[in-house]
Amino acid sequence: MSSKVALLNRITTYIVNRKGKQMRPMFVFLVAKMVNNGNVSERTYRGAAVIELIHTATLMHDDVVDDSNRRRGFFSINALWKNKIAVLIGDYLLSKGLLLSIDNNDFDLLKIISVAVREMSEGELLQIEKARQLDITEAIYYEIIRQKTATLIAACCSLGAASVKPNSPDVEAMRKFGELIGMAFQIKDDLFDYGNEAIGKPTGIDIKERKMTLPLIYAVNNCSKKEKSWLINSVKNHNKDKKRVKEVIAFVKNKGGLDYAVSKMIAFQEEALQLLNTYPESEFKASLLLMVNYVIDRKK
């Protein structure tokens, strides 16, 4: 991470000291070990590093876009050093990640990562487009979360397999596994908007940002015409009204929106677990099972 620019070094030191759960690199290592009898290669380490670099870069850009001052319980880069610097640091991390692959001729890994970055951008833009119109179906919602969240976890898992067994069927099987985990992960995240537990984001924030999440989509599609227009109007025009947001949350709960979202999340989880069943028992598979269950059971 070191550079000749002192400002850059100061900021990267700040980032490295405030790392998050590092869940994505964990997926890279555990998948590589599961498909390759517990062995990893130099490529696995590089792949895990690239994923973390790119993930961190996207978070920085997200904080600028969302005008967010906190990240992982600390001040975000844009809060401390302003937007321009945060965008440039994000670009720097992105290029560092890409060059790490190119310099070592890991072109297959680079392709997996580049596809993920493209899809994440598309997913975010699709979500923004739909937030303006609020004409979102369940199918579009799945497409948004597949691109926005699941694609990066899918990249971690396929990368892990590709780093030790390039061109093997494991690469696609693990991509699918990661995608399913990512879908469950995002639905869990959306459910937090309706919960009262101490989590990283305040409740009702998705509604304030006019994000149509699964519980809300289900409620919209399973209520009377009058209720539907009230619901859409609330999200569109009264999303800053705390009392109204609370009413929307209560309405979605009463309509069974949360139960429906939970059932879908569990379905994605179970499909992912079936893919793991084809692999022999090992401590790495057991760890992956723990990770899958953590995604569903986490409290933040």
Side-chain angles (χ1 to χ4, degrees):
M1 295 300 299
S2 62
S3 140
K4 294 189 179 75
V5 181
L7 174 63
L8 197 54
N9 286 338
R10 208 155 61 237
I11 296 172
T12 49
T13 303
Y14 179 83
I15 295 164
V16 170
N17 289 335
R18 283 154 192 78
K19 52 189 178 284
K21 297 184 283 288
Q22 295 193 308
M23 200 174 88
R24 287 158 188 82
M26 263 190 264
F27 273 120
V28 176
F29 287 120
L30 290 173
V31 165
K33 288 183 173 183
M34 183 182 74
V35 303
N36 199 39
N37 306 320
N39 298 311
V40 293
S41 66
E42 263 313 295
R43 269 162 57 88
T44 316
Y45 282 93
R46 286 198 296 270
V50 171
I51 283 284
E52 193 63 6
L53 281 168
I54 290 190
H55 178 54
T56 308
T58 60
L59 293 183
M60 274 189 203
H61 286 166
D62 277 353
D63 287 342
V64 172
V65 172
D66 298 339
D67 207 11
S68 173
N69 291 325
R70 310 286 291 183
R71 168 65 66 183
R72 295 165 173 164
F74 298 95
F75 283 116
S76 58
I77 301 300
N78 50 304
L80 293 172
W81 283 282
K82 301 286 181 278
N83 285 348
K84 186 172 182 178
I85 289 175
V87 170
L88 292 170
I89 297 282
D91 291 345
Y92 177 76
L93 295 180
L94 192 65
S95 64
K96 267 298 228 202
L98 302 180
L99 283 167
L100 183 59
S101 299
I102 292 167
D103 291 345
N104 293 283
N105 294 328
D106 295 332
F107 296 112
D108 55 335
L109 305 187
L110 183 61
K111 182 169 184 186
I112 292 171
I113 292 155
S114 300
V115 167
V117 173
R118 182 194 70 199
E119 296 229 306
M120 284 156 69
S121 310
E122 282 182 357
E124 285 287 355
L125 287 164
L126 180 59
Q127 184 169 48
I128 291 166
E129 179 192 328
K130 294 301 172 187
R132 286 181 179 161
Q133 299 159 348
L134 296 183
D135 60 342
I136 182 165
T137 61
E138 199 171 318
I140 291 173
Y141 166 79
Y142 290 137
E143 186 54 22
I144 289 171
I145 68 168
R146 186 190 67 73
Q147 290 186 316
K148 205 182 74 148
T149 303
T151 191
L152 190 61
I153 297 177
C156 297
C157 297
S158 60
L159 200 82
S163 71
V164 287
K165 288 177 123 182
N167 305 318
S168 67
D170 294 316
V171 178
E172 174 53 26
M174 287 295 100
R175 186 201 67 75
K176 186 67 189 160
F177 166 75
E179 184 173 283
L180 292 162
I181 296 303
M183 301 290 277
F185 185 87
Q186 186 58 52
I187 294 173
K188 177 71 174 183
D189 224 43
D190 293 345
L191 283 163
F192 282 140
D193 207 43
Y194 294 86
N196 301 320
E197 294 169 63
I199 47 160
K201 63 175 189 178
T203 53
I205 202 158
D206 287 338
I207 296 166
K208 289 189 187 82
E209 291 177 3
R210 294 171 59 160
K211 282 182 187 161
M212 295 286 280
T213 58
L214 192 54
L216 188 59
I217 293 165
Y218 179 81
V220 165
N221 293 331
N222 290 278
C223 64
S224 69
K225 214 170 178 183
K226 193 178 168 191
E227 288 170 328
K228 183 176 178 176
S229 67
W230 172 82
L231 208 49
I232 296 284
N233 182 34
S234 301
V235 176
K236 231 178 190 164
N237 304 316
H238 303 281
N239 51 20
K240 303 283 188 286
D241 177 345
K242 281 188 177 151
K243 183 170 169 284
R244 191 77 169 252
V245 169
K246 274 189 178 150
E247 285 170 9
V248 169
I249 289 174
F251 181 83
V252 170
K253 282 181 179 169
N254 290 338
K255 282 290 172 194
L258 300 195
D259 296 337
Y260 180 77
V262 168
S263 70
K264 285 291 179 188
M265 175 178 73
I266 290 167
F268 281 121
Q269 178 197 25
E270 284 173 351
E271 205 183 327
L273 293 175
Q274 280 172 351
L275 282 171
L276 280 190
N277 286 343
T278 57
Y279 290 89
E281 295 305 317
S282 67
E283 58 181 315
F284 318 111
K285 179 179 167 180
S287 295
L288 274 171
L289 285 170
L290 278 174
M291 291 269 285
V292 172
N293 295 328
Y294 163 74
V295 162
I296 303 295
D297 299 332
R298 68 200 169 99
K299 299 285 183 278
K300 63 177 186 178

